[in-house]
Amino acid sequence: MKKLLLITLIILVITSLACITTQPELIQAINQVRQDNNLNTLNQEKRLNDFAQYRFNKLKSPYLSHANLRSDYAKFMGRYLEKGTIADCGEIIEKLYDYKAKFYNIDMNDLIETWLASPTHKAVILNKNWQNIGCYIGYKDQYTIIIVVEFDRLY
């Protein structure tokens, strides 16, 4: 029992460290694409990282969905934003399979190219109105990585 707990703890520490080192790389890659398209770079916001993690936790069901994005955003951001703040938000969700459990061995350039090949993902990334970005990358199970990227603009 103690051995199992120790292994679980080691896996949690490794995945947490991997998430921390991968988030800036993903945001940097998205900002580079935006710069290449003459758009503003986005500010990484802790509140959006927290919201991305919240959405990740809700997405652990078998089906990934953008359902309830706006209502989740409004409820979650209530603790961060002044009452009456108007905001718009967007989201990208990606599921990757890591059959060798390499802990986030993700090629960000390939990931970004895949998103840019999709008209809907490209529209989210290149939305000229976004000001802020946050993301969360984690394992749904031993072999499934879920990436959640949140964008917003405050008025």
Side-chain angles (χ1 to χ4, degrees):
M1 179 73 167
K2 288 182 181 179
K3 191 174 188 178
L4 178 62
L5 288 173
L6 179 60
I7 291 170
T8 302
L9 181 60
I10 290 170
I11 289 172
L12 287 173
V13 169
I14 290 171
T15 57
S16 295
L17 290 174
C19 182
I20 290 167
T21 59
T22 307
Q23 281 179 336
E25 188 181 343
L26 176 58
I27 291 171
Q28 181 181 1
I30 289 171
N31 273 330
Q32 185 60 55
V33 167
R34 291 179 60 83
Q35 267 188 325
D36 293 347
N37 285 275
N38 298 315
L39 295 170
N40 62 305
T41 57
L42 304 174
N43 302 311
Q44 183 175 6
E45 293 278 343
K46 182 184 180 322
R47 65 183 172 76
L48 285 175
N49 289 339
D50 294 346
F51 182 57
Q53 183 173 3
Y54 170 80
R55 292 286 291 169
F56 168 85
N57 290 330
K58 288 187 76 170
L59 294 169
K60 288 189 175 181
S61 67
Y63 305 102
L64 298 182
S65 170
H66 297 289
N68 303 319
L69 169 62
R70 298 224 186 299
S71 62
D72 282 353
Y73 179 89
K75 283 187 269 186
F76 188 87
M77 290 301 163
R79 66 182 106 169
Y80 292 99
L81 304 177
E82 290 182 31
K83 190 173 182 166
T85 300
I86 299 172
D88 191 17
C89 62
E91 177 177 70
I92 294 177
I93 302 170
E94 185 71 40
K95 183 193 293 189
L96 302 172
Y97 296 100
D98 184 7
Y99 294 107
K100 296 179 183 174
K102 292 182 180 175
F103 298 106
Y104 302 101
N105 188 13
I106 300 169
D107 183 327
M108 289 301 159
N109 292 325
D110 286 347
L111 181 62
I112 297 294
E113 285 179 29
T114 300
W115 286 346
L116 293 175
S118 159
T120 53
H121 290 100
K122 183 176 182 177
V124 172
I125 291 171
L126 297 180
N127 183 323
K128 66 179 181 177
N129 295 317
W130 299 142
Q131 298 169 329
N132 307 301
I133 189 170
C135 69
Y136 186 80
I137 303 168
Y139 271 90
K140 175 182 175 181
D141 56 42
Q142 185 178 0
Y143 300 108
T144 309
I145 299 168
I146 297 178
I147 300 169
V148 181
V149 184
E150 301 294 344
F151 302 83
D152 81 356
R153 176 181 181 176
L154 307 177
Y155 298 92

